Amino acid sequence: MEKSEIKSYSLTEMKDKYIGQIGTKEREEYEYELRMDVLGRMIKTARQERNLTQEQLGELVGVQKSQISKLESSANSATIDTILRVFKALKAEINFNVKLEEQFIKLA
């Protein structure tokens, strides 16, 4: 029996092939959704580490429990202001880095 070689692909190659090349609308939407999903999971993890329910966090932030639930499942529907208020209520530090024409601006 002859061993056949299996071709392996990197994650980037798979994304390029099945989602779209970097710079395409499809790829940009995918990457955005992925970042928002990660942000939502970060909110949930921080909340759980503080032993808070969604309702308790909502009260601290001034929003309904349902909005906290939506944030945790995918933060793409939230405003930056709401996200900042959530992390402040969680006593968690969050930083945003913005790059404008080769110059970084850090928002804390």
Side-chain angles (χ1 to χ4, degrees):
M1 251 189 181
E2 230 177 272
K3 277 189 173 180
S4 60
E5 290 188 33
I6 298 175
K7 171 82 171 118
S8 62
Y9 297 92
S10 70
L11 179 58
T12 301
E13 289 172 323
M14 296 301 287
K15 287 181 187 179
D16 289 348
K17 182 175 180 178
Y18 293 103
I19 298 167
Q21 299 285 322
I22 292 174
T24 62
K25 181 182 177 199
E26 293 81 9
R27 182 69 171 264
E28 294 298 320
E29 287 175 356
Y30 167 80
E31 297 292 344
Y32 175 78
E33 290 293 325
L34 183 61
R35 286 189 299 268
M36 293 300 104
D37 183 55
V38 169
L39 184 58
R41 280 188 271 139
M42 290 169 55
I43 291 169
K44 182 176 184 174
T45 299
R47 175 184 61 78
Q48 289 173 334
E49 286 180 7
R50 298 284 189 255
N51 295 314
L52 294 171
T53 65
Q54 290 178 339
E55 187 171 354
Q56 290 168 327
L57 179 56
E59 288 172 7
L60 290 171
V61 176
V63 299
Q64 298 293 317
K65 173 189 181 264
S66 61
Q67 189 167 354
I68 299 300
S69 177
K70 287 178 189 176
L71 272 172
E72 290 181 356
S73 62
S74 178
N76 64 355
S77 63
T79 65
I80 290 177
D81 181 57
T82 301
I83 292 169
L84 291 173
R85 288 188 353 240
V86 166
F87 280 107
K88 184 176 180 180
L90 291 168
K91 297 183 174 117
E93 183 178 321
I94 185 168
N95 296 298
F96 292 97
N97 292 315
V98 178
K99 184 177 179 183
L100 295 172
E101 298 177 11
E102 304 302 318
Q103 190 174 26
F104 282 97
I105 300 170
K106 185 174 181 179
L107 304 173

